[in-house]
Every structure is written in structure tokens, then in C-alpha cells.
Amino acid sequence: MGSNEALQMLLPIVKVAKQLLIRMCNLTNKSCEMLADVLRSKSSTLQELDLSGSHLQLRKVKQLCLALRSEDCNLENLRLNGCKLNEESCDAVVSAFNSNSASIRELDMSGNQLNDSVVKKLSETLKTQKCKLRVLRLRWCGVKQEGFRDLTTALQANPSHLKELDLSMNTSGDAGVHALCEVLNQPQCRLEVLKLNKCELTHDCCSSLESIMSSQSSSLLELHLRDNKIQDAGVERIAAGLEKAHCKLQVLKLCNCSVSVKGCGFLAAALRRNPSHLRELYLNWNHLINLGTNPLTELLDIPDLKLEKLDINSPYLVE
């Protein structure tokens, strides 16, 4: 059965559904027309649309974007992860988001190549007070330092709504993180989840991350830094933030960050001083030694320790 026939059969359900997941499907133009009709319908209750992994050519994207612009569209979550969108398609999506930013709460355009002009247009919308976006995912979107600066400027203008920001697999470098942390230090910033996996970061950015973790006004609960060269010098700064009384961090991911047992010692010391917040710690794929002599395993007898998951599994373990 083709996508047209399948969607036609499901239309009565789609029209009353709140969530529609059509991942990795070869949607035809006709299927996109039917879906667009649902989105612009006054009676539609659809709030979440996930088309991740579907190859959406420009014509199909434009059909959906016209519906997104409609005042009757109630969509809150839009996921277009890995849809092979070209520059013009990305521009169409962002333009549609600009028209309906008051209702969209989650936008995922990961795995599509956004150029600087598209990121800038997206950032301009984020600046406006009508924008209520809570989750923005731009993994592997070709965002460079200029794009990071545009997004940082946008968050400075409107920092109070965004809860999760994923910029993983973009080449921000340490400079991008330093600028971003200046925004996160604002008292009105409510960001809870920050993902910067594989962003070509070094230990140099960790002093800025420490200041966020130590800040009384910070809302940060999760920090993801996988696949960066953080090294022990960077872990020492992060550990300094963890031990502060104001630190609220619950999840810390440092997988494949060139951390040795020395870095584990910094983290262990920090958790002895402040054992009450961190729930999950990931250090797998680092250069660690035998589990029995890792200083982190000595924390298990601390009564106030709230750590629920400790992952130090690594192919580099030395017996």
C-alpha cells in the first residue's frame, strides 16, 4: 500500500489525533496535500508532527509550510530531523515558523544544512516576545561561529522561554560557548538542557561552563559534552562548579572527552562536597583504569549521594 492510500485510510484518525509520527516515509505530493489540509483545518487537534527521516522535496515542504502559516494551525511540535532539506526548503520552514512562532513550542531541524542566512532569520524570530519556543534542536546543521553569535544575540533579547538547546555536531568552538554562557548567566534565562556534543570544544570553554553551574540564578539541569577534547583540565573546572552549593546539575555527560583517572578524582572530590544533586554521570569511552581503583567507585558509601547512574564502561580500561 502506498503512502497516499495509507494516509487516506487514516485521515479520520489523523483529524482527531494530537500526535502524528510519519518517520522515514516517502511521502508523495498528494500525501503532503492531505496532511496540509489537516493542519489548516479549524477542527484539527494535531499538536505534534514528526516527519523525521522522510525525504521532503521543495514542493512538499512548501505545501506543508503554507498550512503552518494558517491561523487555524494549532501545531506545537514540529520535527524535521534528517529530511534532506536544501537551503530553499530550510528557508521556507523558518519563514513559516516566523509566521506561527506564538504556537510552536518545539522545533527540530537537525541533520539539515542551514546556511548563515537561515540561522539569522531563525534568530530574528527568537528575539521577538511573541516567540514561545521551548525546545530548539539544530544538531549537525552546519552552524558555525557566526550562527552561534546570531543565536546568542537572540537569546539575550528573549531568554525566558527556551528550556532545551541542542547545537551538537556544529563547529562552534570554545568562542561560541563563551558567548552562549554570558546569556545563560542572565537571571531571566530558564535554559535547563544544553547539548554541545562534538562541537570541537577544548578545556578552554570549561571556565565559562563552571560559572553557569555555580550561579545561583542558573536553571541548568543537564549538560552534554560528549566527543569533545575536554581533558582533565576541563573536568577540573566542571568539578569546581559541581561542588558549589548553588549547582543544580542532575545529568552530566563527558563520554569520549579524553578524561583519565585524574579527572575522575576531581569529580569524586566534588561529589563528596556536594552529593545532593547529580543523578547521572557518563564517562564511558575515556582512558580510565580498572574499575576497582577508580575514585568514583569509592563514593557509593556516601549516605547523601543521589547518584543513580554511573557509566564508566570503556574499551580503554586497563586490567
Side-chain angles (χ1 to χ4, degrees):
M1 182 182 297
S3 59
N4 290 346
E5 294 82 359
L7 191 56
Q8 185 74 51
M9 290 178 59
L10 293 172
L11 272 181
I13 299 174
V14 172
K15 288 179 178 179
V16 296
K18 290 187 177 181
Q19 183 184 56
L20 179 60
L21 282 64
I22 315 179
R23 298 170 181 162
M24 301 184 72
C25 291
N26 185 21
L27 294 177
T28 64
N29 291 326
K30 182 63 177 178
S31 298
C32 288
E33 287 176 9
M34 288 188 285
L35 187 54
D37 287 339
V38 172
L39 288 172
R40 65 168 62 94
S41 172
K42 288 185 178 180
S43 59
S44 174
T45 59
L46 196 62
Q47 295 178 350
E48 179 178 340
L49 177 61
D50 189 345
L51 297 173
S52 297
S54 302
H55 187 188
L56 298 179
Q57 297 169 337
L58 181 59
R59 179 181 172 184
K60 301 171 186 178
V61 171
K62 286 186 173 180
Q63 288 172 341
L64 294 173
C65 287
L66 283 174
L68 290 174
R69 290 174 177 270
S70 171
E71 293 181 356
D72 296 319
C73 180
N74 297 313
L75 200 68
E76 295 184 359
N77 298 343
L78 177 61
R79 298 192 181 105
L80 299 171
N81 182 11
C83 287
K84 300 181 180 179
L85 304 183
N86 61 22
E87 179 181 330
E88 193 173 355
S89 297
C90 289
D91 188 68
V93 172
V94 171
S95 295
F97 168 65
N98 292 352
S99 301
N100 198 12
S101 61
S103 65
I104 298 292
R105 299 291 186 270
E106 179 176 328
L107 179 63
D108 188 347
M109 294 186 67
S110 300
N112 299 292
Q113 291 304 299
L114 280 66
N115 67 3
D116 291 339
S117 64
V118 176
V119 175
K120 189 173 184 63
K121 183 179 290 187
L122 175 61
S123 299
E124 289 300 318
T125 302
L126 293 174
K127 287 181 183 180
T128 63
Q129 293 304 309
K130 72 172 184 177
C131 181
K132 302 295 189 296
L133 196 69
R134 294 178 182 172
V135 178
L136 177 60
R137 298 190 180 104
L138 298 176
R139 298 185 306 275
W140 195 29
C141 284
V143 182
K144 297 181 172 59
Q145 288 191 15
E146 184 175 347
F148 265 73
R149 285 195 294 269
D150 288 333
L151 290 169
T152 298
T153 302
L155 290 176
Q156 285 176 328
N158 184 16
S160 60
H161 294 293
L162 201 65
K163 299 285 188 180
E164 177 179 334
L165 178 60
D166 189 349
L167 292 170
S168 299
M169 302 176 72
N170 292 294
T171 54
S172 70
D174 296 325
V177 176
H178 288 312
L180 187 59
C181 286
E182 291 181 10
V183 181
L184 300 186
N185 262 325
Q186 294 184 25
Q188 62 270 39
C189 183
R190 295 293 178 264
L191 195 73
E192 296 178 354
V193 180
L194 178 60
K195 298 181 180 181
L196 297 169
N197 300 316
K198 204 171 184 178
C199 283
E200 299 185 3
L201 307 180
T202 72
H203 61 84
D204 184 63
C205 72
C206 293
S207 57
S208 294
L209 293 171
E210 176 197 348
S211 69
I212 300 303
M213 296 165 62
S214 305
S215 172
Q216 185 173 2
S217 62
S218 174
S219 301
L220 195 64
L221 300 178
E222 293 190 25
L223 179 60
H224 299 223
L225 297 171
R226 178 175 56 84
D227 297 326
N228 290 296
K229 292 187 180 300
I230 300 301
Q231 301 177 312
D232 292 336
V235 173
E236 184 176 14
R237 303 316 314 157
I238 290 172
L242 273 178
E243 69 180 43
K244 297 296 191 300
H246 297 308
C247 182
K248 305 177 184 70
L249 203 69
Q250 296 180 4
V251 177
L252 176 60
K253 296 192 175 184
L254 294 168
C255 315
N256 193 27
C257 284
S258 301
V259 182
S260 74
V261 68
K262 181 179 180 181
C264 291
F266 294 138
L267 293 169
L271 289 174
R272 287 192 193 94
R273 298 185 181 99
N274 182 14
S276 60
H277 291 294
L278 200 68
R279 300 293 193 274
E280 299 179 20
L281 176 58
Y282 299 82
L283 283 160
N284 44 311
W285 291 87
N286 283 295
H287 298 269
L288 308 180
I289 64 172
N290 184 284
L291 298 183
T293 57
N294 192 303
L296 286 169
T297 62
E298 300 172 6
L299 296 172
L300 301 179
D301 294 331
I302 298 178
D304 296 331
L305 188 70
K306 296 298 187 292
L307 198 64
E308 298 169 356
K309 185 168 184 177
L310 172 61
D311 190 346
I312 50 179
N313 182 43
S314 172
Y316 303 116
L317 287 174
V318 178
E319 298 296 340

